[in-house]
Amino acid sequence: SQSRYTEIKKMENLRKEFVENASHELRTPLTSIKGYLETSSDDLSAGNLQHLPKFLEIISKNVNRLQFLVDDMMTLVTLEGGQNINKEEINLIKLTEDTLEKVMSLAVEKGIRIQYKCEVKTFWADPIKIGQVLTNLIENAIKYIQPGKEIQVRWLMSHREKGSEVILQVSDNGPGISEEHLHRLFERFYRIDKGRSRDAGGTGLGLSIVKHIVQGHGGQIQVESQLGEGTAFVCRFPIYR
């Protein structure tokens, strides 16, 4: 049928786009590694060692970037393949504190305060994947808001006619995101400021991973933002009776 053909064509285009974007993202650090290795080799042959520590540092940084990129790509492929969600009862205070411990050095470096509030104490979900969601959203905020700003992490419970939801809200009082970018934020490899996000160590896949994990739990994610006033990511997880 026509709709089936359209769906297959759309999937093919998405796959093609993913391969093109991935190739581009991988080529950048690879080109840098190749160039600095050649220069280091020439310097070694000439007995000129003064720039070697700096070159090795740049090579190491690019190898790490490749590692992060491949790890994120593998995570995304696994999630899109419908990997099982292993649910257990999560202690949200512990999960949040463990996550904050991991990102705290980044925050301290920029003088960013992080506050959290857990109005919900426990939640049935996949602890590793929910940890990834939390880490990605907080790290994102740390990278893009200005020094001295603040991040709020809140776990809330919402009771609706359709049923109860657990809500994770990660908000900041940073620069905000202009409206033209909002609907594309969760696309793979989409970046608001390509150069800046690469320099900050982003792979361009973090928010796409977050979206897939939230949807894998039967939930939804949305972003609310206003220029100059900050940004809030809101993840809603249904509680199945």
Side-chain angles (χ1 to χ4, degrees), residues 92-93 116-122 153-157:
L92 288 178
I93 293 174
Y116 77 91
K117 189 176 184 181
C118 296
E119 292 176 22
V120 187
K121 300 293 180 275
T122 60
V153 178
R154 293 183 73 196
W155 288 99
L156 312 161
M157 179 73 82

Side-chain angles (χ1 to χ4, degrees), residues 86-129:
N86 302 307
K87 289 188 178 182
E88 58 183 78
E89 195 171 21
I90 303 174
N91 177 333
L92 288 178
I93 293 174
K94 186 179 184 322
L95 180 87
T96 307
E97 286 179 351
D98 288 350
T99 305
L100 292 183
E101 214 171 288
K102 278 194 287 182
V103 300
M104 203 44 85
S105 60
L106 266 176
V108 169
E109 215 175 290
K110 271 184 88 171
I112 287 167
R113 282 181 64 201
I114 305 178
Q115 294 188 320
Y116 77 91
K117 189 176 184 181
C118 296
E119 292 176 22
V120 187
K121 300 293 180 275
T122 60
F123 166 47
W124 277 87
D126 188 313
I128 293 170
K129 291 187 174 68

Side-chain angles (χ1 to χ4, degrees), residues 150-164:
E150 196 171 282
I151 298 167
Q152 301 270 355
V153 178
R154 293 183 73 196
W155 288 99
L156 312 161
M157 179 73 82
S158 166
H159 300 290
R160 294 174 154 196
E161 280 178 37
K162 295 176 193 168
S164 301

Side-chain angles (χ1 to χ4, degrees), residues 207-227:
L207 287 177
S208 197
I209 287 169
V210 166
K211 184 188 83 171
H212 274 85
I213 292 172
V214 174
Q215 289 179 344
H217 281 78
Q220 291 177 317
I221 183 166
Q222 64 194 100
V223 56
E224 298 155 5
S225 190
Q226 256 183 315
L227 275 180

Side-chain angles (χ1 to χ4, degrees), residues 20-35:
E20 282 171 1
N21 283 331
S23 303
H24 175 72
E25 292 291 337
L26 291 163
R27 194 179 293 121
T28 310
L30 278 171
T31 304
S32 180
I33 290 164
K34 190 169 183 284

